[in-house]
Amino acid sequence: MVAGTPSAIDVVIEEDSSKRRQILDGARKVFMDLGFDGASMNEIARSAGVSKGTLYVYFADKNRLFEAIVEDEALAQGKVVFNFDSSRDPETTLREFGQAYMESLCRPGGGSWIRTVMAIAERMPEVGRRYYANVLEKTINRLADYLRAHVRPGDLAIDDCQLAASQFQQMCQAALFLPFVLQAAPAPSAERIAEVVDSATRMFLAAYRAK
């Protein structure tokens, strides 16, 4: 085999990965458009551009497919970069995090996906738990670690950094997330997000900045 030329196994793996991605992309669109109950394997196969037989080669049923999309979404969200360098000052870090977090949360299509996960969580609680643990809780934990790094030198006075991190997330969502996810309002503009995050940052530091 010529050096640098992919082997037959590599080609098969790449094709398999590409086909799986094709199925996941098609299924995500169907779930977002029709919801979990409205989606069928026939509709997913059509959307993905594969035969129903091919679909079942990769996923045994609709539940397994939906779980795979949740995992895929968690990986994608995990790639969103938040700068929690402990050497950065809290005010700048909180503002930048809040802006990036809300833009990610309220991205196009994001509301449909969150609504779908919330709708199925009661019936498939493990899916909801995994989504929370792998997407939301990880971000809270990272922010809490950053806050602890600024409690030690006395920049912040916080007894429960885990709670404080959750509080800041919720303050950033105020007047933005629920109207968006319930389709009462379109996705907020970057300018509107900045206004809300600025207010949240000032309120947070007023409560927790060391006196």
Side-chain angles (χ1 to χ4, degrees), residues 102-114:
M102 290 309 301
E103 288 178 356
S104 172
L105 197 63
C106 297
R107 71 194 187 282
S112 297
W113 178 244
I114 292 170

Side-chain angles (χ1 to χ4, degrees), residues 22 24 38 70 101 144 205:
Q22 181 180 337
L24 289 177
V70 170
Y101 174 70
L205 292 177

Side-chain angles (χ1 to χ4, degrees), residues 106-171:
C106 297
R107 71 194 187 282
S112 297
W113 178 244
I114 292 170
R115 284 190 295 274
T116 303
V117 173
M118 291 174 68
I120 200 61
E122 185 173 356
R123 190 185 319 166
M124 298 169 62
E126 184 56 35
V127 170
R129 283 194 290 268
R130 280 207 302 272
Y131 184 79
Y132 180 80
N134 294 330
V135 178
L136 304 178
E137 192 172 39
K138 274 189 176 180
T139 303
I140 292 172
N141 290 343
R142 292 182 60 203
L143 177 56
D145 287 342
Y146 171 83
L147 296 176
R148 289 188 191 96
H150 283 270
V151 169
R152 286 192 289 270
D155 301 329
L156 299 173
I158 303 174
D159 293 327
D160 188 337
C161 289
Q162 204 75 15
L163 172 61
S166 295
Q167 288 172 332
F168 184 71
Q169 276 194 325
Q170 292 300 312
M171 286 193 291

Side-chain angles (χ1 to χ4, degrees), residues 60-110:
D61 53 38
K62 188 169 68 171
N63 286 13
R64 300 293 190 281
L65 182 49
F66 188 76
E67 289 174 356
I69 295 175
V70 170
E71 298 290 343
D72 193 58
E73 182 74 9
L75 288 172
Q77 288 295 303
K79 293 177 182 177
V80 177
V81 177
F82 301 123
N83 190 344
F84 288 127
D85 184 341
S86 60
S87 67
R88 304 175 81 231
D89 69 281
E91 186 170 352
T92 300
T93 299
L94 289 171
R95 278 201 174 90
E96 290 186 2
F97 161 71
Q99 184 83 24
Y101 174 70
M102 290 309 301
E103 288 178 356
S104 172
L105 197 63
C106 297
R107 71 194 187 282

